[in-house]
Amino acid sequence: MKIVYVVLVTSLIVVVALSFLAISLLRKKKRQELINDIDKLEIKKNNLRSMPIMVEINKIEEIAKSEQLEEKNVEFKSRYHEVRDIKLTKINDLITELDIEVNKRDYREYVNIYSDIEMQLDEAEYSLNRIMDEIVEISSYEEKYRNIIIKLKAKYRYLEHCYTEKETMFKDLSEVIKMQFENIAKRFNDFDKVMEEKLY
């Protein structure tokens, strides 16, 4: 009978020890998952912080010859600094707070802070992508409009050539048509000057 009690007590001790070990391992696994989630947030925040927006803003600054483009450049800088210096700094503070909540094992508060950080990261990403898209659009103006003008000049030359071949058919309208061709040529020259001076 004594052996049965010893076996029973030993079995109970082993079961309790295994239960504590299992609980400990589950907590450790859960903690590691939470830390991995925090690391993902940290990586996303760092990726946003390292976007080359300032490089692109500086490119615009180099070509900014018009007052309107300079104002737009100042606006880009302001919006970028607001996201980087205010929003991302706040997110960094929240990530630090998240680490504290993991150590305190306050998982309910952890979930609240985590979802808040995710939302703020998405907003920051949207803002930075929007700034980048606007900058790319401005920096692509020259190429975009040069391509349009090249096509228009080709069309203009074709029409002018067709007109000169059949000029006799337009007797009374000849002067008006010549004035229109001169007007179009003048507009092309004006465009070329604007492009040379980078007054987009």
Side-chain angles (χ1 to χ4, degrees):
M1 193 72 164
K2 210 172 188 186
I3 294 176
V4 172
Y5 285 129
V6 171
V7 170
L8 190 62
V9 170
T10 307
S11 299
L12 187 62
I13 291 172
V14 169
V15 168
V16 170
L18 288 175
S19 298
F20 279 124
L21 182 63
I23 291 171
S24 174
L25 289 174
L26 287 173
R27 282 186 178 170
K28 187 174 183 179
K29 183 181 178 194
K30 177 73 173 171
R31 186 178 191 297
Q32 190 58 46
E33 287 174 0
L34 297 176
I35 289 172
N36 289 342
D37 289 343
I38 293 172
D39 289 343
K40 288 176 187 173
L41 292 176
E42 189 78 38
I43 289 169
K44 186 171 182 178
K45 179 200 64 143
N46 289 337
N47 287 341
L48 291 177
R49 189 175 286 279
S50 65
M51 283 179 76
I53 292 178
M54 230 20 233
V55 172
E56 296 298 321
I57 289 174
N58 289 336
K59 285 181 188 176
I60 297 251
E61 199 168 79
E62 291 174 14
I63 65 170
K65 302 288 184 187
S66 70
E67 192 174 303
Q68 184 181 17
L69 199 53
E70 287 175 2
E71 287 174 7
K72 196 70 174 160
N73 203 36
V74 169
E75 178 194 334
F76 289 146
K77 283 182 181 178
S78 171
R79 287 167 49 198
Y80 173 68
H81 288 296
E82 178 184 331
V83 172
R84 194 191 75 196
D85 297 339
I86 297 170
K87 288 183 180 177
L88 290 179
T89 301
K90 183 180 177 186
I91 290 169
N92 193 49
D93 294 342
L94 287 171
I95 290 173
T96 303
E97 192 175 322
L98 206 57
D99 277 331
I100 293 168
E101 297 304 326
V102 168
N103 291 330
K104 289 190 328 187
R105 295 184 182 154
D106 187 355
Y107 299 124
R108 190 173 290 158
E109 189 62 27
Y110 173 91
V111 170
N112 291 336
I113 296 171
Y114 186 89
S115 61
D116 188 33
I117 292 171
E118 276 188 317
M119 188 176 64
Q120 289 188 34
L121 278 171
D122 289 343
E123 287 174 5
E125 182 177 29
Y126 174 79
S127 297
L128 292 175
N129 284 335
R130 177 124 175 147
I131 293 169
M132 187 65 106
D133 290 344
E134 290 177 32
I135 291 171
V136 167
E137 182 181 343
I138 288 175
S139 62
S140 69
Y141 277 174
E142 182 174 9
E143 183 180 340
K144 175 183 172 184
Y145 289 117
R146 279 210 190 274
N147 289 336
I148 291 170
I149 289 297
I150 288 170
K151 290 176 186 174
L152 289 174
K153 282 183 179 180
K155 197 176 210 179
Y156 166 77
R157 287 188 192 102
Y158 171 75
L159 290 173
E160 188 176 37
H161 174 73
C162 289
Y163 169 74
T164 53
E165 285 182 347
K166 299 176 182 170
E167 188 173 352
T168 56
M169 292 174 60
F170 298 100
K171 300 173 192 165
D172 296 337
L173 298 173
S174 170
E175 288 301 313
V176 174
I177 294 172
K178 284 182 182 178
M179 283 178 45
Q180 289 301 323
F181 278 123
E182 288 174 13
N183 188 21
I184 293 169
K186 183 179 180 287
R187 298 282 183 196
F188 283 135
N189 289 336
D190 291 344
F191 176 82
D192 289 337
K193 286 178 187 174
V194 166
M195 293 304 280
E196 284 173 19
E197 296 173 10
K198 298 183 178 177
L199 298 172
Y200 307 118

